Amino acid sequence: MQQPTSAVGLLLSCVLSYATICAAWAPTPGAFGSAFAPSLGSVAAQRNRPAFRTPGRFANPAKGSRSFPLNKLIRQPAHALRTSMGVEVSEARVFMDGPVSGEHGLEKVVMEIDLDGRTLRLESGEVGRLAAGSVVAKQGNSVIYTSACGDLDLNKEEVIEDFVPMSVHYQERSSAAGKTSGGYIKRDGRPSDEEVLVSRIIDRSLRPLFPSGFCREVQVLSWVLSYDPEHNVDPIALISASAALLSSKIPFDTPVAGVAVGMDAKGKFVVNPTRDMLKESRLNLFVSGTEESVMMIEGAADFLTEEEMAEAIETGMKAVTAICKGLRAFADKVKEARGIESLTALVRTPDASLYAQFEDQLSDAMDKAMRTGKTGKFDVYGAIFDVEREAKKLFLDESSDTGREIDVKATFKRFAAEKMRLLAKNEDLRIDGRGTKAVRPISINMNPLPAASVHGSSLFTRGDTQTLATVTLGDKGSRQRMDTLDGENSKRFYLQYTFPPSCNGEVGRIGAIGRREIGHGNLAERSLLPIIPSEVDFPYTIRVESLVTESCGSSSMASVCSGSLALFDAGVPVKRAVAGVAMGLLLPDNLKRGNEDMAVQVDEEAVILTDILGLEDGFGTMDFKVAGDAKGITAFQLDIKCEGLSINLLKRALTQAKEGRLHMLYHMLKAKKEPTDTLAPSVPKMLTMSIPQSAIGKVIGPGGAMIRSLIEDFELINIDIDESGSEGVVTVTSLNKERNQKAEEKIRFLVQEANNFSPSGGTGTMNKRVADPEVGKVYKDCLVVGVHPFGCFVELYAGKEGLVHVSELDNKRINNVLDLFKVGDKMDVKVMALKDQKGKIRLSRKAAMGNAETPPTDAPAAAGPEAIEAQ
């Protein structure tokens, strides 16, 4: 059913009602902090003029291929060109280098290209010669080795699938940064989240460029052998993977490259900034593409506008285009040196005649299936799948082989996608009854879980996609820690995404988190990161969990919406809400692999969809997720199933995505206008205090004994000490303010005691220590500062305390000290000895009661709190 035209009024109302919240928050450079990792990105590329795709994968140079003549590249001087976007890129240089020293007489094919004054160098011919393709990539002191292998046996029985069984594994070896891996066996183990994200970047950039009829197994392996913090390794990994495939027999003939794009303090875009620069940048974009068009984009921003995003993509594409030209020449030279060609014989040609038969026999059935008038997932999907079952009955029989089955399946997908496109283009109608710009119905349930247990929660439902988000607040001990090439890092805010098979009504494997969940959770996390308050304003660690309970398209963007609302419910002082929407694209099949001259026709025939269904994602050409608010964008991700998109199409998608975000923000702000004023009762209470660096050891104690004792004695959740500043910052966490205050008193006592003995203690004008107590003397009303099963610690006077062992507490046997004494009690004690076997002052309550024999008093002269002498 078509969305009512009054939605325009709702959008305007959203902008007006939202303006007061947006105006209160102004983004500043560096808002991401150290939690913003540079390896989160991927893709976008375009040429100097709008274009659609790279030349044909197996183009013949005689028929207009854009292959670069080697005589124009080999050993020619590099002429640096500063593009209109301010990026200085040289022409690529391809040449032979060698022979390498040794008895093998190896020669290397080398490509060099300068990007903003930094040289990227690719080498092939010395390392990994038994792989189908291998490349060593270098920039500065960063070195990456990448290999590409495949099942290339021409004599093997034909393998037929409807996808490319490719796997990509990227590994950051700890030795690359001069470190040894942690753990007992000291060996690099399972991939970290960052390594998984980079692997996904490489996979998503390469996969659409394989020929549709190629279905042999391919494996790309990439290792960081040396790490230079000044040269980001993520783009180098993708470029080396592309080069390894291009220079092999594997039928992959379209160069693809990627760059990172950041923004400096002056608002200028920077290509391949360092990881440290990206931490302070308002933009962290990864762009990948071919010589002529965008393949993938991914990254995050601090509320950049759609116009700024488009400019950043174009900036990255200038460098991508130059690199791709160099890659083509490099691959040609490697193949020439090795005497190999791409095995195009492995590319199977599908039966093209099937499409006309589908049109003739199934058009009416498909038209009817797309006009059911229903909106539910099972109803809409079921109608389409009924047509697919009918197609299998018509075109398959018992004698049909696997190839025929794959052809029917692929043809049905093309047929359904084109019918969906024509319906949307001609009638502005989609298979669930919506228009192309309409968002599915939205329902929001704030605080669905008890606040007595859960700190914040929200249930967000958009059509048949639903996510339950919860927020948990904690202290520094709750931070997510990770070991990277840059050292040990921690995240104060993180989002964890769970996608169980039940959300699709299916039965499936439950186990370790998959790559998809890591990627989608990372996207949702970066979408919310810019609105997280600083640690000064809100000292808590913030963990958001998103459980997908129903899935019918874009559960990651639903996680952004539910996560934003859960932060509001938890009382986290965010000053604006963030929403996310997934955009789709329907293109005619003949234009998915068109050339640059078809750009205008592509723009005319393309249909952009807002808030796509899972089926529209599966049949469509693009999945473009954009998150942000009315003022700008916070995160984005593009995946495509063709050979590239033009910048014009991306600009259209960004504009249409903003309209969808505004619609969702209207419903979100109607459900919850601002964060809750107070935190839930179950939120831990935190107390922060500063102590001198010289007192930190006293508070921690030998082997952490004192800090464990404090946690146990005062029933705390945790005590964290930050030693990074000029003073130590102690954070005490418990569920009770009074416990925190008592713990603070004890810590201040320990600090005072440490100052009395510290060479820099006190005022600094006189170094003092507290005199020892008098052996045999009874001290009255001494404060109990610690209670343990083995006895009580008692403070004699400021700066001096001792242990009353359980055997010295009373004349009677005491079964449980904790039942009779508590911190804060007072008792009379007698000093029995200045030091016992453990070096502590030995006290006795039993002796002070007059029922124990007094030991001889051959102790030091009388002393007390008033007897303080200078050292």
Side-chain angles (χ1 to χ4, degrees):
M1 182 169 143
Q2 183 75 21
Q3 190 169 0
T5 55
S6 59
V8 176
L10 292 179
L11 294 177
L12 294 175
S13 301
C14 169
V15 176
L16 294 175
S17 64
Y18 192 54
T20 55
I21 294 179
C22 291
W25 194 93
T28 56
F32 292 118
S34 61
F36 195 71
S39 59
L40 311 172
S42 145
V43 133
Q46 185 196 345
R47 202 180 172 86
N48 293 339
R49 58 186 180 279
F52 181 71
R53 70 177 283 272
T54 187
R57 294 189 180 91
F58 309 109
N60 186 336
K63 296 183 179 180
S65 168
R66 298 190 61 85
S67 297
F68 238 56
L70 289 177
N71 60 358
K72 292 186 179 181
L73 293 175
I74 298 178
R75 297 193 178 280
Q76 295 297 316
H79 301 287
L81 303 175
R82 181 164 290 280
T83 70
S84 60
M85 309 307 294
V87 181
E88 189 172 317
V89 184
S90 73
E91 292 182 2
R93 308 177 292 280
V94 179
F95 55 91
M96 300 298 297
D97 185 20
V100 180
S101 61
E103 297 181 351
H104 287 82
L106 302 175
E107 288 190 308
K108 297 184 292 187
V109 179
V110 177
M111 184 197 91
E112 292 182 348
I113 186 170
D114 299 327
L115 302 173
D116 275 345
R118 290 176 290 181
T119 300
L120 172 66
R121 179 183 174 98
L122 303 182
E123 301 175 355
S124 182
E126 180 183 13
V127 181
R129 292 173 297 135
L130 298 183
S134 63
V135 170
V136 175
K138 303 177 181 178
Q139 191 170 45
N141 289 326
S142 288
V143 180
I144 293 181
Y145 165 57
T146 302
S147 65
C149 292
D151 179 5
L152 306 179
D153 187 356
L154 291 172
N155 297 320
K156 183 178 178 179
E157 183 179 353
E158 186 177 21
V159 178
I160 302 175
E161 299 284 354
D162 60 344
F163 66 96
V164 180
M166 180 179 67
S167 61
V168 178
H169 302 274
Y170 164 88
Q171 184 182 50
E172 296 178 345
R173 297 166 64 94
S174 55
S175 58
K179 301 187 298 182
T180 298
S181 178
Y184 181 76
I185 60 175
K186 305 300 180 186
R187 184 184 182 96
D188 295 316
R190 59 172 295 180
S192 66
D193 285 2
E194 293 302 319
E195 290 169 317
V196 169
L197 293 171
V198 177
S199 298
R200 282 172 53 85
I201 287 171
I202 298 171
D203 187 304
R204 291 157 50 203
S205 299
L206 299 176
R207 189 175 293 274
L209 295 175
F210 282 93
S212 58
F214 177 72
C215 47
R216 292 292 185 94
E217 186 176 6
V218 175
Q219 186 177 58
V220 176
L221 305 177
S222 188
W223 294 271
V224 180
L225 302 182
S226 177
Y227 174 64
D228 181 354
E230 293 300 312
H231 296 87
N232 193 348
V233 292
D234 306 340
I236 305 174
L238 171 58
I239 294 168
S240 63
S242 174
L245 285 169
L246 288 166
S247 57
S248 72
K249 292 183 179 181
I250 299 171
F252 182 94
D253 289 359
T254 303
V256 59
V259 297
V261 181
M263 178 183 285
D264 63 17
K266 297 181 180 179
K268 177 185 174 183
F269 295 116
V270 180
V271 173
N272 285 346
T274 66
R275 289 189 172 186
D276 286 339
M277 291 175 62
L278 280 173
K279 292 176 184 178
E280 303 300 323
S281 172
R282 289 187 60 208
L283 172 68
N284 184 358
L285 168 70
F286 194 100
V287 176
S288 75
T290 65
E291 294 176 62
E292 302 178 354
S293 54
V294 177
M295 288 303 303
M296 187 188 74
I297 62 176
E298 183 170 341
D302 193 2
F303 292 98
L304 263 62
T305 65
E306 282 74 12
E307 293 75 19
E308 289 173 317
M309 281 301 311
E311 184 180 352
I313 294 171
E314 290 181 287
T315 300
M317 274 309 301
K318 305 299 180 182
V320 166
T321 298
I323 296 170
C324 286
K325 290 178 179 178
L327 287 174
R328 187 180 293 280
F330 174 76
D332 289 344
K333 189 64 177 177
V334 173
K335 288 181 177 178
E336 177 186 325
R338 297 179 62 187
I340 62 173
E341 295 181 353
S342 294
L343 295 178
T344 56
L346 294 175
V347 181
R348 179 179 174 275
T349 302
D351 183 358
S353 65
L354 273 174
Y355 192 86
Q357 298 177 54
F358 269 72
E359 283 277 9
D360 183 52
Q361 301 185 47
L362 293 173
S363 287
D364 292 342
M366 183 61 75
D367 289 341
K368 182 178 179 181
M370 292 185 175
R371 299 173 185 271
T372 62
K374 298 179 180 180
T375 60
K377 175 178 179 177
F378 292 138
D379 294 327
V380 173
Y381 283 36
I384 302 297
F385 293 153
D386 284 344
V387 180
E388 183 178 23
R389 282 188 284 271
E390 181 64 25
K392 291 179 179 179
K393 291 179 181 178
L394 289 171
F395 302 112
L396 295 177
D397 54 39
E398 294 180 357
S399 63
S400 299
D401 58 12
T402 305
R404 179 71 173 179
E405 293 176 4
I406 296 298
D407 287 348
V408 169
K409 182 177 180 180
T411 303
F412 175 79
K413 186 175 179 180
R414 286 178 51 205
F415 174 67
E418 179 61 9
K419 289 294 184 181
M420 289 169 59
R421 187 190 71 85
L422 291 174
L423 184 65
K425 180 176 174 26
N426 297 332
E427 303 181 37
D428 191 32
L429 185 64
R430 293 157 69 177
I431 56 176
D432 63 349
R434 287 182 292 152
T436 55
K437 297 184 179 181
V439 177
R440 286 172 286 176
I442 295 174
S443 298
I444 296 171
N445 182 4
M446 294 300 300
N447 194 26
L449 301 177
S453 303
V454 180
H455 301 164
S457 60
S458 71
L459 183 68
F460 179 85
T461 307
R462 185 187 63 236
D464 284 337
T465 296
Q466 184 182 78
T467 58
L468 174 65
T470 58
V471 171
T472 305
L473 305 177
D475 62 1
K476 289 185 177 180
S478 301
R479 294 190 176 187
Q480 188 180 60
R481 290 178 170 81
M482 63 214 78
D483 198 12
T484 69
L485 292 179
D486 293 303
E488 185 174 335
N489 294 326
S490 64
K491 291 199 290 188
R492 176 174 155 261
F493 165 72
Y494 53 99
L495 185 147
Q496 295 171 329
Y497 167 98
T498 304
F499 189 91
S502 60
C503 68
N504 276 321
E506 299 172 350
V507 175
R509 181 186 65 85
I510 294 294
I513 186 171
R515 289 188 172 194
R516 179 184 179 277
E517 289 174 295
I518 292 174
H520 283 224
N522 178 66
L523 176 62
E525 177 182 307
R526 285 176 292 145
S527 302
L528 296 173
L529 183 59
I531 68 172
I532 299 300
S534 68
E535 189 171 2
V536 174
D537 296 331
F538 194 70
Y540 287 95
T541 294
I542 305 167
R543 178 194 184 201
V544 177
E545 294 176 276
S546 176
L547 174 63
V548 182
T549 51
E550 298 175 9
S551 177
C552 186
S554 188
S555 56
S556 61
M557 293 296 95
S559 297
V560 173
C561 298
S562 61
S564 179
L565 291 167
L567 290 170
F568 271 44
D569 184 59
V572 179
V574 296
K575 294 183 174 64
R576 58 208 301 180
V578 168
V581 64
M583 310 298 295
L585 175 68
L586 298 175
L587 275 178
D589 190 69
N590 65 311
L591 296 182
K592 292 179 182 179
R593 293 174 175 80
N595 56 49
E596 59 186 22
D597 298 327
M598 296 182 179
V600 175
Q601 186 180 357
V602 167
D603 289 345
E604 291 176 352
E605 295 297 327
V607 177
I608 297 175
L609 306 177
T610 298
D611 181 26
I612 55 175
L613 300 172
L615 200 61
E616 292 170 331
D617 181 12
F619 288 164
T621 306
M622 174 184 79
D623 181 11
F624 189 20
K625 301 181 178 71
V626 186
D629 70 350
K631 285 192 172 182
I633 295 170
T634 60
F636 39 86
Q637 182 185 88
L638 169 71
D639 289 309
I640 62 173
K641 301 168 189 172
C642 63
E643 293 189 8
L645 298 177
S646 70
I647 293 293
N648 286 339
L649 273 179
L650 291 178
K651 288 179 178 179
R652 283 175 53 190
L654 285 169
T655 301
Q656 193 166 320
K658 184 175 182 179
E659 297 174 5
R661 292 201 312 274
L662 290 175
H663 177 81
M664 293 183 195
L665 285 168
Y666 168 77
H667 287 277
M668 291 167 62
L669 293 172
K670 188 166 66 171
K672 186 75 174 177
K673 291 184 178 180
E674 56 189 17
T676 303
D677 293 335
T678 58
L679 301 179
S682 55
V683 174
K685 311 301 183 291
M686 298 176 63
L687 183 148
T688 303
M689 58 186 293
S690 298
I691 64 174
Q693 285 280 355
S694 59
I696 292 177
K698 181 69 174 178
V699 176
I700 295 175
M706 178 56 71
I707 205 166
R708 288 196 299 270
S709 174
L710 291 171
I711 293 173
E712 181 181 342
D713 293 343
F714 298 103
E715 299 180 22
L716 307 177
I717 294 176
N718 189 35
I719 295 178
D720 180 83
I721 302 179
D722 183 359
E723 306 178 46
S724 60
S726 59
E727 289 187 321
V729 178
V730 180
T731 303
V732 181
T733 309
S734 76
L735 294 175
N736 186 286
K737 288 184 178 180
E738 288 72 22
R739 296 175 191 167
N740 287 352
Q741 292 169 354
K742 289 180 180 179
E744 179 188 20
E745 292 175 1
K746 174 61 177 177
I747 292 172
R748 293 199 183 280
F749 164 73
L750 294 173
V751 170
Q752 182 181 3
E753 186 178 50
N755 283 340
N756 288 332
F757 284 91
S758 171
S760 59
T763 62
T765 59
M766 179 180 291
N767 295 327
K768 302 178 179 180
R769 70 175 180 85
V770 178
D772 292 329
E774 178 183 355
V775 175
K777 182 177 178 178
V778 175
Y779 292 85
K780 302 285 189 180
D781 294 329
C782 298
L783 183 67
V784 176
V785 295
V787 180
H788 301 271
F790 54 80
C792 298
F793 283 98
V794 177
E795 181 183 26
L796 299 175
Y797 48 85
K800 283 296 177 182
E801 65 178 48
L803 172 65
V804 183
H805 191 265
V806 61
S807 62
E808 295 292 335
L809 282 172
D810 204 290
N811 292 316
K812 303 182 213 177
R813 177 180 175 84
I814 296 178
N815 293 322
N816 191 340
V817 177
L818 300 176
D819 290 340
L820 300 178
F821 301 94
K822 64 180 183 296
V823 174
D825 288 349
K826 292 185 178 182
M827 66 173 67
D828 298 340
V829 295
K830 185 174 184 176
V831 181
M832 307 302 290
L834 288 182
K835 288 188 177 181
D836 60 10
Q837 293 179 348
K838 295 185 178 180
K840 296 185 178 296
I841 299 173
R842 186 159 60 87
L843 307 175
S844 174
R845 177 175 176 267
K846 184 166 62 174
M849 296 166 62
N851 295 322
E853 182 179 349
T854 302
T857 56
D858 54 348
E866 69 284 350
I868 300 176
E869 57 185 20
Q871 286 184 332

